[in-house]
């Protein structure tokens, strides 16, 4: 399971935090996760407004900002989904939605890893059981082999279910993030920063073909950007995997 999760996020560190380039890509990426302020309208008041008038895009955007201020990622996603449905060509709204998807994916990734550790810990390993030829060991052994610990089994089953749920949620969110970046790319096909973000989102969603296409378009749009060497290196790894 760790391998799967590692693959999902393995490449993200390659691009973030690198200096600014001629296309402004690094600057865009460095600000990628910074949304929401320290104050804003009441969430409850805005919820009432959108319930009364669900076609008011401005109120949905304001509600998203209010949720972000309170670090309520899921709430912000829901509000931004409504907003972008009403304003499908608003690139800033789509970018913000993609950012929130990425933030939630990080949360699910952490949950899955924690659940995996809990699952391994919950299993009672035979290594730690007393020798089967001792009186105590016989108490832990049946005619068919070592007895299972019902408490450990229950804990392991719970942890396994938690892991599966987190991975499913992670997969879904990464797919939604990729779809959002595809919308952005369609609206702004000459924006190199969108292409590199689409490449990352597609790679995280295990959509290798789309990742390769986005990275190649990035290199075509910004061949001299400081990130170009890293992108070329990633392409060398992805292209054989596609075959």
């Amino acid at each position: 399971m760790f391998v799967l999760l590692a693959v999902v996020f393995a490449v993200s560190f390659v691009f973030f935090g690198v200096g600014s380039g001629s296309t402004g890509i690094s600057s865009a990426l460095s600000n990628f996760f910074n949304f929401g302020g320290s104050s804003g309208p009441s969430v409850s008041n805005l919820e009432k407004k959108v319930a009364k008038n669900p076609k008011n895009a401005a109120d949905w955007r304001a509600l998203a900002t209010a949720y972000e201020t309170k670090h309520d990622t899921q709430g912000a996603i829901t509000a931004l989904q409504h907003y972008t449905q009403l304003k499908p060509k608003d690139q800033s709204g789509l970018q913000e939605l993609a950012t929130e998807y990425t933030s939630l994916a990080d949360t699910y990734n952490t949950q899955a890893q924690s659940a995996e550790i809990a699952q391994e810990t919950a299993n009672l390993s035979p290594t730690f059981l007393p020798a089967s030829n001792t009186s105590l060991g016989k108490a832990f052994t049946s005619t068919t082999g070592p007895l299972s610990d019902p408490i450990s089994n229950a804990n392991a089953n719970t942890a396994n279910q938690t892991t599966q749920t987190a991975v499913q949620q992670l997969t879904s969110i990464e797919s939604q993030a990729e779809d959002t970046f595809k919308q952005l790319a369609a609206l702004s096909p000459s924006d190199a920063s969108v292409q590199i973000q689409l490449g990352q989102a597609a790679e995280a969603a295990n959509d290798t073909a789309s990742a390769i296409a986005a990275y190649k378009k990035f290199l075509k749009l910004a061949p001299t950007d400081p990130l170009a060497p890293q992108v070329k290196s990633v392409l060398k790894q992805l292209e054989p995997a596609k075959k």
Side-chain angles (χ1 to χ4, degrees), residues 38-225:
S38 58
S39 62
S42 165
V43 168
S44 60
N45 287 342
L46 288 167
E47 287 177 334
K48 292 176 183 177
K49 291 181 71 174
V50 297
K52 184 179 297 185
N53 186 7
K55 298 296 184 180
N56 189 315
D59 286 342
W60 281 113
R61 186 65 182 270
L63 178 58
T65 300
Y67 277 128
E68 288 164 354
T69 301
K70 295 183 178 298
H71 307 289
D72 184 341
T73 304
Q74 184 58 69
I77 286 174
T78 300
L80 286 167
Q81 286 173 335
H82 283 283
Y83 174 78
T84 53
Q85 287 173 1
L86 294 168
K87 297 287 185 178
K89 294 185 178 181
D90 187 329
Q91 295 182 48
S92 65
L94 289 168
Q95 179 75 72
E96 193 168 342
L97 176 58
T99 297
E100 294 300 329
Y101 282 143
T102 303
S103 177
L104 190 57
D106 288 340
T107 299
Y108 289 148
N109 182 51
T110 300
Q111 290 176 354
Q113 291 189 31
S114 298
E116 179 76 7
I117 293 172
Q119 181 181 350
E120 293 176 355
T121 303
N123 289 319
L124 182 62
S125 173
T127 303
F128 300 101
L129 290 174
S132 60
N133 59 352
T134 65
S135 298
L136 184 58
K138 291 177 181 178
F140 284 89
T141 307
S142 69
T143 57
T144 57
L147 295 173
S148 60
D149 179 0
I151 296 178
S152 295
N153 287 343
N155 291 338
N157 290 336
T158 299
N160 180 57
Q161 183 59 50
T162 302
T163 302
Q164 292 181 7
T165 299
V167 171
Q168 290 170 357
Q169 291 171 324
L170 176 63
T171 301
S172 174
I173 287 296
E174 290 292 2
S175 178
Q176 291 177 77
E178 180 187 7
D179 289 342
T180 304
F181 280 119
K182 284 182 176 180
Q183 289 179 262
L184 278 167
L187 291 171
S188 186
S190 298
D191 189 334
S193 65
V194 172
Q195 292 300 325
I196 197 171
Q197 292 174 72
L198 172 57
Q200 287 183 285
E203 190 175 0
N206 293 318
D207 184 356
T208 303
S210 294
I212 290 173
Y215 287 145
K216 285 184 174 180
K217 190 163 186 179
F218 163 79
L219 291 173
K220 183 177 180 180
L221 292 169
T224 61
D225 189 88

Side-chain angles (χ1 to χ4, degrees), residues 11-60:
V11 182
S12 295
F13 76 95
V14 174
F15 304 115
F16 294 113
V18 182
S20 60
S22 59
T23 62
I25 293 171
S26 300
S27 175
L29 292 176
S30 67
N31 294 320
F32 187 51
F33 297 97
N34 295 324
F35 292 98
S38 58
S39 62
S42 165
V43 168
S44 60
N45 287 342
L46 288 167
E47 287 177 334
K48 292 176 183 177
K49 291 181 71 174
V50 297
K52 184 179 297 185
N53 186 7
K55 298 296 184 180
N56 189 315
D59 286 342
W60 281 113

